[in-house]
Amino acid sequence: MTLKTLAALLTTMLFWGSSFVATKLVLAAWPSWAYMFLRFFLASLIFLVLLIRKKALRIPRHLVPRLILISVFEPGLYFLFETLGLERTSAASSSIIIAAIPAVVALFSAIFLNERLNARGWIGTLLSIIGIAIITLFATGSGNDPTTLMGNVFILLAVFSATGYIVMARSISSEISPLQLTAYQSFFAAVAFFPGLILQGRELMSAAFDPMLIAALAFLVICATVAAFLAYNYALSQISAPRAAVFINGIPVVTVIVAWIVLGERLNGMQMIGGALAIGGLMLANRRETARLNMEA
């Protein structure tokens, strides 16, 4: 793994880990569908400028159906389920459940990409599934930010959506640039979420627009959407899907720290045990891969 690829994955981990907290801040004041449109519409404007500057706006026509399908899974379904989940559960719980993505990617890669799991991989995957089940089932209310079973279920659906995106994006990354892939994902997402603006536009106009919310949205657009997706799609063009997904393991650590500082969130005792099992299982499943990454970096 090159230093550039490693830096791209670490950037993705930091930005996506912090994005759960920024999304919670925005959703506390703004309607969800209108927020999703704003996020991807503003990101699309940035991508459009980048594509025009690089004269890369055109893509092969035969790739359009595959790009639409990829975009349905992510940003489409992924952000729909993540947003619905974050409206109902904590940022910390969400990020730990999202950490299941590498295990699910490994399973799907074994089925669709012929990338087999060894015994350690199966054991680690099972432990992570048990841990995530504990987090989901032992949800408890906390102050003004209740953690609910339904919210955790939505986050689980986001996990499966992200898995479909990662597996399919790997297959198309050799045919178009990371910039083109990321830009067209945002274009299609903005179109898909536009009806939300029509339905919730009046509610959005009456919502608060204080500096903290504007800063959170700016972070979500520039860092968590433009920069993080560019970085992750670049990494997927350089290494396999399971290797790239290993770095998602670090997202819960970033989220728990930022959520503690910004939102004052806490995990209950059983959820901490579940989180330890989930992250430990994922580290076990990817132990050999992680050791190789360290040597190559």
Side-chain angles (χ1 to χ4, degrees), residues 130-131 133-140 267-277:
I130 292 172
I134 290 173
I135 295 169
T136 303
L137 296 174
F138 284 87
T140 58
L267 297 175
N268 63 43
M270 288 302 297
Q271 287 182 307
M272 291 179 68
I273 293 173
L277 280 174

Side-chain angles (χ1 to χ4, degrees), residues 7-255:
L9 288 168
L10 290 174
T11 297
T12 302
M13 180 183 73
L14 291 172
F15 286 165
W16 279 351
S18 302
S19 71
F20 289 93
V21 177
T23 301
K24 289 286 289 185
L25 290 173
V26 172
L27 290 177
W30 295 349
S32 56
W33 285 91
Y35 145 71
M36 287 187 286
F37 169 77
L38 281 177
R39 176 171 177 173
F40 289 102
F41 173 71
L42 294 174
S44 294
L45 295 180
I46 297 174
F47 282 126
L48 182 61
V49 172
L50 293 175
L51 287 176
I52 292 174
R53 288 186 60 183
K54 291 183 175 292
K55 299 181 180 179
L57 191 58
R58 291 187 177 183
I59 59 172
R61 289 186 178 180
H62 73 275
L63 294 181
V64 172
R66 290 166 64 189
L67 276 172
I68 292 175
L69 182 59
I70 288 173
S71 301
V72 166
F73 281 89
E74 188 165 345
L77 291 175
Y78 174 84
F79 279 96
L80 172 61
F81 291 135
E82 182 189 86
T83 300
L84 291 173
L86 281 169
E87 286 182 320
R88 296 162 172 82
T89 191
S90 70
S93 294
S94 299
S95 66
I96 295 174
I97 296 172
I98 288 294
I101 290 174
V104 182
V105 166
L107 290 173
F108 275 61
S109 295
I111 297 171
F112 297 108
L113 302 179
N114 295 319
E115 297 173 354
R116 297 181 179 178
L117 283 175
N118 56 24
R120 182 185 291 118
W122 285 110
I123 294 172
T125 298
L126 178 61
L127 286 175
S128 67
I129 291 172
I130 292 172
I132 289 163
I134 290 173
I135 295 169
T136 303
L137 296 174
F138 284 87
T140 58
S142 176
N144 296 322
D145 184 23
T147 301
T148 67
L149 177 62
M150 182 57 69
N152 289 337
V153 170
F154 278 128
I155 299 297
L156 281 173
L157 291 174
V159 167
F160 289 107
S161 302
T163 299
Y165 151 68
I166 291 172
V167 173
M168 288 187 291
R170 175 64 181 165
S171 67
I172 202 175
S173 60
S174 61
E175 300 182 64
I176 59 175
S177 70
L179 172 60
Q180 290 173 315
L181 173 58
T182 313
Y184 276 90
Q185 281 180 277
S186 288
F187 296 160
F188 292 134
V191 172
F193 293 133
F194 178 69
L197 180 68
I198 298 175
L199 293 173
Q200 298 181 334
R202 184 172 298 178
E203 184 180 351
L204 177 66
M205 292 302 294
S206 62
F209 280 85
D210 61 65
M212 176 68 77
L213 292 175
I214 298 300
L217 180 63
F219 171 82
L220 288 167
V221 171
I222 298 171
C223 298
T225 304
V226 176
F229 271 96
L230 275 176
Y232 198 68
N233 283 334
Y234 169 77
L236 285 173
S237 71
Q238 302 298 309
I239 59 176
S240 69
R243 292 181 70 189
V246 169
F247 283 79
I248 294 177
N249 295 349
I251 288 177
V253 179
V254 175
T255 304

